[in-house]
Amino acid sequence: MTIKKLFDPSKNINRSIEKVITYGVSQEARLKSEISEYVVTDSIDQQFENLLLKMEAAMDIGGENEVGVWVSGFYGSGKSSFTKYLGLAFDDRITIDGVPLIQHLQDRLKRQQTKSLLSNVAKRFPAAVLMLDLASEQVAGATMEEVSTVLFYKVLQWAGYSRNLKVAALERRLKKEGRYNEFLDAFKDAAGGEDWNNYRNDELVVDSLIPEIAHKLYPTLFKTPTSFTTESSEIVVFENDRVREMLEIAREASGKEYIIFIIDEVGQYVGPRPNLILNLDGLAKNLKNIGDGKVWIVGTAQQTLTADDAKAALNSPELFKLNDRFPIQIALESNDIKEICYTRLLGKSSAAEAELGGLFDQYGQQLRQNTKLVDARVYGVDFDRKTFVDLYPFLPAHFDILLHLLGALAKSTGGIGLRSAIKVVQDILIDGSEGKPAVAEQAVGWLATTVTLFDALDKDIKRAFASLHASVEKATKIRFSHSELHQNLAKTVAVLQILGNLPITRQNVTSLMHARIAGASQADAVAKAVEDLINDPIVPFGEQDGNLCFFSEKLNDIEQERSQVALRGVELRRIVNEALTSVYAPLPATQLHGSYAVSTGLKAQSAGNVPASLAGERNQIQTIVELVDPKEIDNARTRLTDESRHNSSKFNIYLVGRTTPEMDELTADIHRCREIANRYRSDPDQEIREYCNGQADRAEHLSTKLRAQIQRSLLQGSFIFRGQVVAVDTLATELLDAARKHLSEVAEQVFDRYAEAPVRAGTELAEKFLRVGNLSGITSALDPLNLVQTQSGRHSIRTDHLAMVSIRDYIDRNGTVDGKRLTDVFADAPFGWSADTLRYLVAAMLLAGEIKLKVAGREVTVNGQQAIDAIKTNNTFKSIGISLRGGDRPSNDVLARAATRLTELTGDTVVPLEDDISKVTTKLFPQLQHQYGPLTEKLRGLNLPGVDRL
């Protein structure tokens, strides 16, 4: 079944509908046709009521009440209809089939309250209505005349006066003096029987005949037949005086006290021009002050009077200055157009409603998802079952786009030749385009799209946006004439580019191209078509600031240059390496024994080349990534497995993955984007600079894709370490998680002796350890490795601790070593100890008498201030020498006997360590010397033996 059969048979979609409603059409037949088609929605009915209430209040009270009305709405939204029928309703001379037009308008209104209010206001305050269409009645000339001037000329014309200001002044004088008929007769005599009404604006006749007639009628004022001149002269006229004169003329001509001035498209006329805005502001102010609440000014515009309104077709922040002069604001929104189109054209039969409702029940959720717009502001309108049925074959967003599109076209062309929204919708339904059947002839299930709108407005777009249209034709008629998808994509992007307020993303484009109720999303196909257009050397299509777009001709030359940018191997490798660095960020790390953080560095290599460091160059373990052709993957894996067994590679993890054609294409495109952006980023042309910004954004977008490709490739690759090959995806589903898990196993093997001292000592630990002075005072906080042991109540250092054995063995093999060398050796694999932990171990070995220090040329064998200062910090530790104690070290038996004897002498327990014995002896000896020094003389005086032993 075709779409045409869905419509209500009583609504002939082929009937005549006016392109636009204009003020100039006043023939009864045309008015009858227009008013019979006029649809008043609930919203419009409410707007009528609000305005009439304000008019009634102002005319009742008089004085300086608000009299400025601003009617805003998109091009073709019904502004002209609203104001035209309102104005004509106040003119009791206008009838249709003998019935006053006001009654026809009342028949269109919905609520009785509004109907009564209209009748009451029009009856109580009969007004002279003067309508001015600035789009078609502006004064001819190089510059745009002020609104007050154009309106004054319109009043003269409407009142039957000549547009020549001097002649009009003469006519006014004659009327005031009751001599106007005398003037008409004089002109008829002078013109050979011609009527003045036919020549009042004919410059040649006016210049030739009027001066002599003026002399005859006023010989005392115009002394000669040439005294009166019709030429304009510079006379200062104040705006308020001209407004008074204008009101006098209107009241004289109409015989009515109340006046309504209705000015169509005033917003677009004054636009961003400060002088015209200021003049309109003054005109409205004077009408308010002088009119005494009896004179109204109504203006229509596509713009609202807010500084920036997302719902407005056009925004001109300068118009906000008029906000105080036009405080009564009426906005006709796109929802009104949807209801009007449904009422006039899209109404369905009951059977059709049931059929469409069934389709929505079956596919509605899927359809809403497939047509969803992102960041679309006023366009992102969802729809329910009723809305879908009412508007089919259109969707709500299509009406919003159509109105914005008409507004943009009107702004560019002044609205000349454009159709109203309702007329465009009718033409879409009944007229085919480019050999395609009309929409009404399509099968049920077909949907209108932005392509439908482009085709319907093709000629208007070509006239208003010739360059853009030409670019579209390069895609549709030259490069992709065989592909409807590519053609539709080009048209959709063009429509959105004209609008300028809807993100032109791949998702939004896909949604707006969705052409079947039951159809699946074309997202993948559209994305592919986008890349085809971007990469095409002829079509000026690309991406700028995250939005798809067509470029201008001057940018097209740059696009041509971009496509020919040479691909240099070093630059391509740099781009891949940047992506690889991002993929491996942050660098994978693991913890050994919960205390040592081990991170891998990152390098990239290709077969036969030296690996290039990308990150973490100082890390002991390095991950070397190699991407190879899929055909060479097995050979590469075998080669790297063999290489990983070499001693030079014992700390290297090899990660091998496959390259893809997509990677190569992305890398080349990124290079071209960056290169062309660098060449032209300082160009003085703003458009070119914006293009460069867009190329930089595209490069970043493509880099994201490249990173995803590399990540996917490596996740499907292999880790190789010391001859062991592990598939990456067997460790985790994410690359970095797999890398961390593999690194934890590798770190255990690389730092296999870290377990001998698995702590990260504090900076001050070595100093505190030495300062305690007595091993019995060492706590677990000062001895995290439990180097101090207690046996039979005696404290000693565990010289057999594995960490101390490793240090002792190294010194034994290498002789005296400086602290820096020792720190470096034990910081590297296989130990990984921190410098602070090493100093703590060295301090314990000094106390145990295992080593001696060489500090500033002096040997230090026991604990003391000199030893503390030497081991206190990593910097002081670097410069000292460290060696094993030789034969000068007392044996353990000697130390034990010395400790026992000192314990007996002092009564305190003495540890059998050189340091403790030295300290106790140093303290005890002066006491014994003092105590036993006089004993020699006493023994000698008593002649007792033993003197020789003292």
Side-chain angles (χ1 to χ4, degrees):
M1 184 171 73
T2 62
I3 292 174
K4 177 172 60 177
K5 295 181 180 179
L6 297 173
F7 298 121
D8 186 343
S10 65
K11 298 175 180 177
N12 179 15
I13 62 173
N14 292 287
R15 69 188 185 278
S16 175
I17 293 179
E18 297 296 332
K19 285 180 61 176
V20 290
I21 300 299
T22 61
Y23 288 175
V25 174
S26 58
Q27 298 92 339
E28 184 173 335
R30 289 283 296 276
L31 284 177
K32 181 178 180 180
S33 174
E34 288 180 7
I35 195 72
S36 64
E37 290 278 0
Y38 187 49
V39 175
V40 177
T41 65
D42 290 335
S43 171
I44 293 176
D45 193 285
Q46 185 63 55
Q47 299 283 24
F48 267 118
E49 182 183 355
N50 292 342
L51 176 56
L52 289 168
L53 286 171
K54 290 182 171 63
M55 293 179 71
E56 183 179 46
M59 292 178 176
D60 265 336
I61 301 172
E64 295 183 8
N65 286 285
E66 300 300 346
V67 295
V69 181
W70 192 271
V71 181
S72 63
F74 298 95
Y75 182 88
S77 61
K79 305 182 300 295
S80 298
S81 300
F82 181 93
T83 52
K84 177 178 181 177
Y85 302 141
L86 174 67
L88 294 180
F90 279 84
D91 192 338
D92 51 16
R93 298 172 302 171
I94 307 298
T95 63
I96 297 176
D97 295 336
V99 178
L101 185 134
I102 187 172
Q103 293 185 24
H104 290 273
L105 179 58
Q106 286 175 312
D107 291 341
R108 315 308 298 171
L109 296 172
K110 288 193 169 186
R111 296 180 301 168
Q112 185 59 43
Q113 180 178 349
T114 310
K115 295 178 182 181
S116 300
L117 185 59
L118 174 61
S119 177
N120 184 49
V121 174
K123 185 179 297 183
R124 291 183 59 203
F125 309 104
V129 180
L130 191 147
M131 291 185 282
L132 170 65
D133 182 358
L134 284 173
S136 60
E137 296 183 285
Q138 53 185 288
V139 177
T143 59
M144 298 180 73
E145 288 285 357
E146 295 172 334
V147 176
S148 63
T149 299
V150 181
L151 183 60
F152 185 74
Y153 284 136
K154 179 66 177 179
V155 170
L156 290 177
Q157 180 189 32
W158 174 80
Y161 291 111
S162 172
R163 285 196 298 265
N164 185 294
L165 297 183
K166 287 189 175 180
V167 175
L170 176 63
E171 288 184 279
R172 292 202 64 208
R173 172 182 285 273
L174 290 165
K175 283 190 176 183
K176 287 181 179 180
E177 295 178 0
R179 302 180 63 191
Y180 192 65
N181 288 333
E182 185 180 348
F183 166 76
L184 295 178
D185 293 338
F187 179 84
K188 185 173 293 187
D189 292 339
E194 294 291 341
D195 188 65
W196 165 244
N197 290 333
N198 299 327
Y199 292 94
R200 65 160 60 99
N201 294 316
D202 188 319
E203 293 182 8
L204 295 177
V205 174
V206 167
D207 288 344
S208 173
L209 301 181
I210 298 302
E212 186 173 352
I213 294 173
H215 168 65
K216 289 180 179 180
L217 294 175
Y218 294 101
T220 58
L221 297 179
F222 307 108
K223 303 294 185 182
T224 69
T226 59
S227 297
F228 181 88
T229 176
T230 59
E231 294 180 1
S232 61
S233 57
E234 294 295 330
I235 300 176
V236 176
V237 180
F238 291 106
E239 282 295 330
N240 55 352
D241 292 333
R242 185 157 65 170
V243 167
R244 285 191 181 91
E245 183 179 1
M246 187 164 57
L247 296 183
E248 288 177 9
I249 294 172
R251 283 169 173 156
E252 288 172 4
S254 66
K256 295 177 180 178
E257 187 70 12
Y258 297 96
I259 303 171
I260 301 175
F261 293 111
I262 302 177
I263 308 176
D264 201 18
E265 294 298 347
V266 67
Q268 186 158 334
Y269 185 85
V270 300
R273 303 172 185 86
N275 61 315
L276 298 185
I277 292 174
L278 181 62
N279 173 260
L280 179 59
D281 178 89
L283 173 63
K285 182 178 180 180
N286 284 323
L287 289 176
K288 175 184 175 181
N289 295 339
I290 299 170
D292 193 31
K294 300 176 181 179
V295 180
W296 285 70
I297 178 170
V298 180
T300 75
Q302 294 180 53
Q303 305 95 325
T304 65
L305 291 183
T306 56
D308 186 14
D309 185 358
K311 296 181 179 180
L314 303 170
N315 273 310
S316 179
E318 293 87 348
L319 288 179
F320 182 71
K321 300 171 184 176
L322 296 172
N323 194 50
D324 291 339
R325 297 291 169 244
F326 294 87
I328 303 171
Q329 296 173 16
I330 294 173
L332 302 181
E333 300 182 357
S334 58
N335 283 334
D336 293 324
I337 294 299
K338 295 169 193 172
E339 184 175 344
I340 291 169
C341 287
Y342 163 70
T343 303
R344 295 179 64 179
L345 282 174
L346 302 178
K348 314 297 189 305
S349 66
S350 57
E353 288 180 351
E355 180 175 350
L356 289 172
L359 284 174
F360 183 85
D361 294 339
Q362 185 175 0
Y363 301 107
Q365 188 61 36
Q366 172 185 317
L367 179 61
R368 282 200 297 257
Q369 183 62 34
N370 289 337
T371 57
K372 182 179 180 180
L373 300 176
V374 178
D375 295 332
R377 300 198 297 174
V378 297
Y379 299 104
V381 180
D382 199 1
F383 52 92
D384 55 18
R385 189 178 193 270
K386 183 179 186 308
T387 304
F388 169 77
V389 172
D390 288 349
L391 300 183
Y392 181 79
F394 301 93
L395 297 178
H398 296 147
F399 288 91
D400 297 319
I401 290 173
L402 174 59
L403 289 175
H404 280 83
L405 185 56
L406 289 173
L409 294 171
K411 182 180 181 182
S412 178
T413 65
I416 299 174
L418 275 182
R419 294 160 287 173
S420 65
I422 184 69
K423 183 59 178 175
V424 172
V425 171
Q426 183 191 38
D427 290 346
I428 288 173
L429 290 176
I430 64 177
D431 294 335
S433 61
E434 297 185 353
K436 300 176 184 177
V439 170
E441 302 300 331
Q442 297 281 1
V444 173
W446 184 93
L447 279 174
T449 66
T450 43
V451 179
T452 313
L453 302 181
F454 182 96
D455 290 341
L457 294 167
D458 183 83
K459 294 179 180 178
D460 302 299
I461 293 173
K462 184 174 183 179
R463 184 170 67 252
F465 300 95
S467 177
L468 177 61
H469 191 274
S471 298
V472 172
E473 288 196 329
K474 286 183 179 180
T476 59
K477 296 184 177 180
I478 300 176
R479 301 296 294 174
F480 298 96
S481 58
H482 60 286
S483 172
E484 185 177 5
L485 177 64
H486 290 77
Q487 295 171 26
N488 292 347
L489 171 61
K491 292 176 180 179
T492 298
V493 170
V495 168
L496 299 186
Q497 193 167 340
I498 292 171
L499 297 181
N501 58 359
L502 176 61
I504 315 177
T505 61
R506 289 161 177 80
Q507 177 174 340
N508 285 346
V509 168
T510 301
S511 297
L512 292 171
M513 289 172 58
H514 193 75
R516 304 281 314 171
I517 295 174
S521 173
Q522 289 186 293
D524 293 338
V526 170
K528 175 64 169 58
V530 166
E531 296 307 314
D532 292 342
L533 283 172
I534 289 176
N535 294 323
D536 188 90
I538 304 301
V539 180
F541 187 89
E543 197 164 6
Q544 193 167 330
D545 296 331
N547 288 289
L548 303 173
C549 64
F550 284 96
F551 299 124
S552 64
E553 287 302 319
K554 57 184 175 183
L555 287 183
N556 193 35
D557 293 338
I558 298 177
E559 271 288 293
Q560 295 286 340
E561 180 182 343
R562 176 190 177 281
S563 67
Q564 298 171 9
V565 169
L567 301 178
R568 298 190 296 272
V570 62
E571 290 296 330
L572 299 181
R573 283 194 298 274
R574 183 173 63 83
I575 291 170
V576 172
N577 289 345
E578 286 177 0
L580 179 58
T581 303
S582 296
V583 167
Y584 239 70
L587 290 172
T590 188
Q591 289 275 340
L592 281 179
H593 298 275
S595 58
Y596 182 30
V598 179
S599 297
T600 178
L602 181 65
K603 295 182 178 180
Q605 76 172 20
S606 55
N609 291 327
V610 177
S613 180
L614 304 181
E617 185 176 5
R618 295 186 178 182
N619 293 341
Q620 191 85 47
I621 300 174
Q622 292 289 317
T623 297
I624 301 176
V625 178
E626 186 170 332
L627 295 169
V628 299
D629 188 286
K631 298 177 182 178
E632 297 295 324
I633 189 68
D634 292 334
N635 293 336
R637 193 180 291 116
T638 301
R639 170 174 53 81
L640 294 175
T641 301
D642 292 340
E643 188 174 332
S644 71
R645 293 190 177 101
H646 297 167
N647 190 57
S648 60
S649 301
K650 62 182 180 180
F651 300 145
N652 292 341
I653 301 172
Y654 292 96
L655 174 55
V656 60
R658 299 171 176 82
T659 60
T660 65
E662 291 81 1
M663 285 187 198
D664 297 336
E665 292 172 4
L666 288 168
T667 304
D669 208 356
I670 291 169
H671 172 61
R672 291 190 179 100
C673 289
R674 291 178 176 176
E675 178 64 23
I676 207 70
N678 286 334
R679 290 181 188 180
Y680 290 97
R681 63 184 176 185
S682 298
D683 194 279
D685 191 310
Q686 177 67 24
E687 183 182 17
I688 294 178
R689 290 201 303 274
E690 290 177 356
Y691 166 81
C692 291
N693 292 335
Q695 288 295 297
D697 291 342
R698 174 168 171 76
E700 182 56 38
H701 172 70
L702 295 175
S703 296
T704 301
K705 286 189 172 182
L706 178 60
R707 290 193 288 270
Q709 289 275 346
I710 292 175
Q711 187 173 35
R712 187 180 304 114
S713 171
L714 295 180
L715 189 59
Q716 296 170 354
S718 303
F719 287 120
I720 303 173
F721 179 71
R722 295 182 182 177
Q724 298 296 315
V725 180
V726 179
V728 177
D729 56 9
T730 62
L731 299 176
T733 58
E734 296 292 335
L735 177 62
L736 289 181
D737 292 340
R740 281 188 286 267
K741 186 173 182 179
H742 185 256
L743 178 63
S744 65
E745 299 173 0
V746 170
E748 291 283 356
Q749 299 177 58
V750 171
F751 295 98
D752 58 319
R753 297 183 69 178
Y754 178 73
E756 295 176 8
V759 298
R760 311 302 283 180
T763 302
E764 299 177 351
L765 182 61
E767 178 186 0
K768 290 179 179 179
F769 192 88
L770 292 177
R771 286 193 183 280
V772 171
N774 193 323
L775 293 183
S776 61
I778 299 293
T779 63
S780 59
L782 297 178
D783 186 22
L785 292 176
N786 296 318
L787 301 179
V788 177
Q789 62 182 352
T790 303
Q791 294 179 336
S792 302
R794 303 178 69 87
H795 302 281
S796 62
I797 301 293
R798 292 172 52 199
T799 57
D800 60 347
H801 191 281
L802 289 178
M804 296 178 70
V805 171
S806 296
I807 296 172
R808 187 166 58 243
D809 289 347
Y810 179 81
I811 298 174
D812 187 37
R813 289 194 305 271
N814 295 276
T816 301
V817 294
D818 59 60
K820 182 179 184 304
R821 175 63 181 160
L822 197 66
T823 299
D824 293 341
V825 168
F826 285 94
D828 287 344
F831 301 100
W833 301 343
S834 70
D836 297 323
T837 299
L838 179 67
R839 288 189 294 108
Y840 154 59
L841 289 166
V842 169
M845 293 178 73
L846 179 66
L847 290 180
E850 293 286 307
I851 59 171
K852 58 184 176 182
L853 309 179
K854 191 165 187 178
V855 183
R858 297 179 58 186
E859 287 191 349
V860 178
T861 58
V862 295
N863 186 18
Q865 189 60 46
Q866 195 170 16
I868 292 173
D869 291 340
I871 300 178
K872 185 175 183 179
T873 67
N874 293 329
N875 284 332
T876 58
F877 183 71
K878 289 179 181 179
S879 60
I880 68 174
I882 304 166
S883 59
L884 297 178
R885 293 284 294 272
D888 63 338
R889 180 192 175 193
S891 66
N892 290 336
D893 181 59
V894 172
L895 292 173
R897 285 189 285 113
T900 300
R901 184 64 56 83
L902 288 171
T903 299
E904 293 173 351
L905 289 173
T906 61
D908 297 326
T909 301
V910 178
V911 178
L913 294 174
E914 283 185 83
D915 183 53
D916 276 23
I917 293 171
S918 173
K919 288 180 179 178
V920 173
T921 301
T922 302
K923 180 179 179 180
L924 180 62
F925 184 76
Q927 298 176 7
L928 295 176
Q929 189 178 34
H930 176 75
Q931 182 178 352
Y932 295 107
L935 186 58
T936 301
E937 294 302 323
K938 289 183 179 181
L939 290 175
R940 185 180 289 116
L942 297 173
N943 292 318
L944 294 175
V947 174
D948 55 333
R949 296 175 61 188
L950 297 173

